[in-house]
Every structure is written in C-alpha cells, then in structure tokens.
Amino acid sequence: MHLLKLTFKYIIFLLKEPNYFEQYRTFLLSITENFNQIFDERFTRELLRIYPIRLLVNIGRSIYFVNIQENLSVLDHHTADVGKNAITHNLSAFDNFQTFSIPRVDRLIKPFSSIELLTSNSSILVIGPRSEDDLLCLLGYGFKSEKIKGLDLISYSPWVDLGDMHKMPYEDNSWDAVIVGWVFNYSKAPANAAQEIIRVAKNGAIIAVGIEYNPLTNEEIEKVYGYSIDGTRTQSVAEILSFFGEYVDDVFFSHDIVAKQKDKQSELMVIFSLKK
C-alpha cells in the first residue's frame, strides 16, 4: 500500500512537469530495471495477508488437489475423544467456499507473528486447519513453508498430515510453536489434547489457541443446524488455560468475552509460552 501511494504521488508530480514524457520514460525504466528489488519474494508473500488474494490461492490449490489429483483423505481411526460429527461437519465445508475458508485465523496469527521469540525459522504445527488457509496466512507473515505443517482429521494437501490431536504422530519436543485454531470445540476431552500438545511442543514453545464462543446450547445448535458436534463448550480464556495447567508460562495475548458480549457469538483467543 505504501508503495502504491508513493507511485501515485510521483505520477501527480510528473504530470505537473513541462517535460513530463521524458520524466515518465525515466520513471518506467527505473521500475523495470529494479523490478526484482521492488517486487521481491517478500512482497509476493505479504500479499497472502490479504484475505481475498489468499482465498483465490487456497481455492485454486484445493481444486487441483481435491478435484484433479483426488487427494482428499479422511483419518480411518481416531480416539474416542473426537466429537461424533467433527469429520462430517468439516467435510461439508468443501461444498461451500464461504465455510471452506474463514478469515478468522488472521485475528490469531497477527499477534502471534509479533512475538519476538519466534523467527522465520521457527517450526510451527497448525492443528485443524481444514484447508491451507492458515498455512498460507503464516507464509504471508514471513514464516517458511518448509517449517510449517498442518494436522487434521481430513487432508487433501501434502502440507497437512492426517492425524488426531489427542494422539499425534510426532516425537516429543518437536515444535517451536503450535497453533490450535478453533478445534477444541470438536473435542470431548480438550485437556487430553492439551497434554498431547505439551508433549510434542518444545520447552518455551509458543501456543496460540482460538475457540468459538457461542451462547447457544448444544440442543439449540442442533435445532439450527440439524446436528451438534458433541464436543466441549469453552466459555473463557481462563478455561482454555486450565487445560494446560501448570505448564502455562507467560501470556502474551488474550481476548476474552466481556459481559456485554455474553449473548453474542464471538471468539476466545490466547497466546502463551510453555514451561516444561
């Protein structure tokens, strides 16, 4: 955006010059000669911070992997801690691009990316991305693709492993950071999932959790949507932190529900470090 503003200012300046065409020729020549420096890899990656651009990339890649390569897979066996309709609910999102990719992860990744303990070389596990949107968003904030991996009950992407967050296929102390994006509500035992996250995360790892807050009961949700996830209803940031217990160290970011939001659907978010 800053580059565009400077460009328009320069064009206005040139239009006021008597020898405008010579100035314009020089300007275009300088842009051409310095194209790689101006529109470098960082510029291209940062475009992924813009949701409509990221959505187009996400949809294009999903069409290739799901419809052309037919790579969509579902985890055959998962623990009893997974909500009964978790897989069905997430598969239904592939029928509607509005639910297939939801931009709420930006709210969590923006503060996550500002934590100075993280670098572009940090290894990051994203639990429950559904599509590649969360991973593309991380790319937009400068994290390296080879250092990012997703884990989900369903996957079409070589970037996302099939697995259950209650029993993950990773060694102890594997990750510098773990993003748990709106998946604890799909769990009957989020404390068990938290213990597994603690196992695979390194000491001092950054943990970012987002959960949907919904004032409706499971019965009311079932009336609206025809089914419920049969997971856990989390009501506060304090409840999220309680899943991790004594392993919570420094809390860097917290977005809780205040009294005037209690009757509205909203987001619970918290980012903290682990002490093991």
Side-chain angles (χ1 to χ4, degrees), residues 46-55 101-114 133-138 140-141 179 181-182 253 267 269 271:
E46 287 184 356
L47 288 175
L48 292 172
R49 297 184 188 184
I50 304 171
Y51 178 67
I53 293 175
R54 195 168 74 241
L55 178 62
S101 181
I102 304 173
R104 63 188 173 188
V105 74
D106 297 62
R107 303 178 191 178
L108 193 59
I109 290 179
K110 283 178 182 177
F112 173 86
S113 67
S114 69
D133 184 67
D134 299 11
L135 314 177
L136 292 169
C137 189
L138 284 169
Y141 282 92
I179 296 176
W182 287 266
F253 172 80
E267 316 296 345
M269 293 177 285
I271 302 174

Side-chain angles (χ1 to χ4, degrees), residues 71-97:
N71 278 352
L72 183 61
S73 301
V74 177
L75 187 67
D76 291 330
H77 303 287
H78 56 72
T79 66
D81 291 335
V82 176
K84 65 180 179 181
N85 289 314
I87 292 177
T88 302
H89 174 75
N90 282 284
L91 283 174
S92 68
F94 284 81
D95 298 327
N96 185 344
F97 285 129

Side-chain angles (χ1 to χ4, degrees), residues 152-203:
D152 209 316
L153 297 167
I154 58 175
S155 175
Y156 61 85
S157 167
W159 217 353
V160 179
D161 295 330
L162 274 178
D164 180 346
M165 66 178 172
H166 304 90
K167 189 177 181 181
M168 292 188 271
Y170 306 117
E171 300 292 330
D172 296 358
N173 306 307
S174 295
W175 303 96
D176 295 314
V178 181
I179 296 176
V180 192
W182 287 266
V183 294
F184 273 168
N185 284 353
Y186 296 113
S187 171
K188 296 178 182 178
N192 292 349
Q195 289 303 307
E196 186 69 349
I197 291 166
I198 292 167
R199 181 186 70 80
V200 302
K202 298 177 183 178
N203 182 39

Side-chain angles (χ1 to χ4, degrees), residues 1 6 15 30 33 56-57 64 73 78 90 106 108 117 120 129 158 160 174-175 178 191 197 208 231-233 272:
M1 185 62 70
L6 288 177
L15 288 171
S30 69
E33 291 175 345
L56 289 175
V57 175
Y64 174 76
S73 301
H78 56 72
N90 282 284
D106 297 62
L108 193 59
L117 293 173
S120 61
V160 179
S174 295
W175 303 96
V178 181
I197 291 166
T232 301
R233 307 298 300 282
F272 60 94

Side-chain angles (χ1 to χ4, degrees), residues 6-267:
L6 288 177
T7 303
F8 283 122
K9 280 185 178 180
Y10 192 53
I11 290 173
I12 292 170
F13 168 76
L14 290 176
L15 288 171
K16 295 179 180 178
E17 286 292 303
N19 55 344
Y20 159 69
F21 289 107
E22 177 57 28
Q23 294 271 10
Y24 185 57
R25 187 190 69 81
T26 305
F27 170 69
L28 288 179
L29 185 61
S30 69
I31 289 290
T32 303
E33 291 175 345
N34 297 288
F35 185 86
N36 290 336
Q37 287 73 34
I38 297 172
F39 301 98
D40 59 4
E41 182 184 358
R42 179 179 174 183
F43 176 86
T44 305
R45 287 160 64 101
E46 287 184 356
L47 288 175
L48 292 172
R49 297 184 188 184
I50 304 171
Y51 178 67
I53 293 175
R54 195 168 74 241
L55 178 62
L56 289 175
V57 175
N58 193 19
I59 290 174
R61 286 177 59 85
S62 69
I63 289 173
Y64 174 76
F65 285 117
V66 175
N67 301 102
I68 299 175
Q69 294 292 319
E70 298 182 347
N71 278 352
L72 183 61
S73 301
V74 177
L75 187 67
D76 291 330
H77 303 287
H78 56 72
T79 66
D81 291 335
V82 176
K84 65 180 179 181
N85 289 314
I87 292 177
T88 302
H89 174 75
N90 282 284
L91 283 174
S92 68
F94 284 81
D95 298 327
N96 185 344
F97 285 129
Q98 288 183 326
T99 54
F100 171 71
S101 181
I102 304 173
R104 63 188 173 188
V105 74
D106 297 62
R107 303 178 191 178
L108 193 59
I109 290 179
K110 283 178 182 177
F112 173 86
S113 67
S114 69
I115 295 173
E116 294 180 343
L117 293 173
L118 297 170
T119 71
S120 61
N121 286 312
S122 296
S123 56
I124 304 174
L125 174 65
V126 181
I127 297 177
R130 182 185 293 164
S131 71
E132 292 181 335
D133 184 67
D134 299 11
L135 314 177
L136 292 169
C137 189
L138 284 169
L139 279 186
Y141 282 92
F143 298 102
K144 294 181 179 178
S145 59
E146 63 270 23
K147 294 287 188 176
I148 303 169
K149 181 62 73 172
L151 177 79
D152 209 316
L153 297 167
I154 58 175
S155 175
Y156 61 85
S157 167
W159 217 353
V160 179
D161 295 330
L162 274 178
D164 180 346
M165 66 178 172
H166 304 90
K167 189 177 181 181
M168 292 188 271
Y170 306 117
E171 300 292 330
D172 296 358
N173 306 307
S174 295
W175 303 96
D176 295 314
V178 181
I179 296 176
V180 192
W182 287 266
V183 294
F184 273 168
N185 284 353
Y186 296 113
S187 171
K188 296 178 182 178
N192 292 349
Q195 289 303 307
E196 186 69 349
I197 291 166
I198 292 167
R199 181 186 70 80
V200 302
K202 298 177 183 178
N203 182 39
I206 303 300
I207 311 298
V209 182
I211 295 180
E212 179 184 280
Y213 168 82
N214 195 323
L216 299 179
T217 65
N218 282 336
E219 292 74 19
E220 289 170 331
I221 290 175
E222 191 162 354
K223 286 181 180 179
V224 174
Y225 297 103
Y227 63 90
S228 66
I229 301 301
D230 189 32
T232 301
R233 307 298 300 282
T234 306
Q235 302 297 315
S236 68
V237 165
E239 191 175 350
I240 297 173
L241 294 176
S242 73
F243 299 150
F244 295 86
E246 63 183 0
Y247 295 97
V248 175
D249 195 7
D250 296 313
V251 176
F252 297 98
F253 172 80
S254 175
H255 182 273
D256 217 333
I257 303 301
V258 297
K260 61 184 178 183
Q261 290 178 294
K262 287 288 186 180
D263 60 343
K264 297 178 181 178
Q265 184 173 321
S266 186
E267 316 296 345

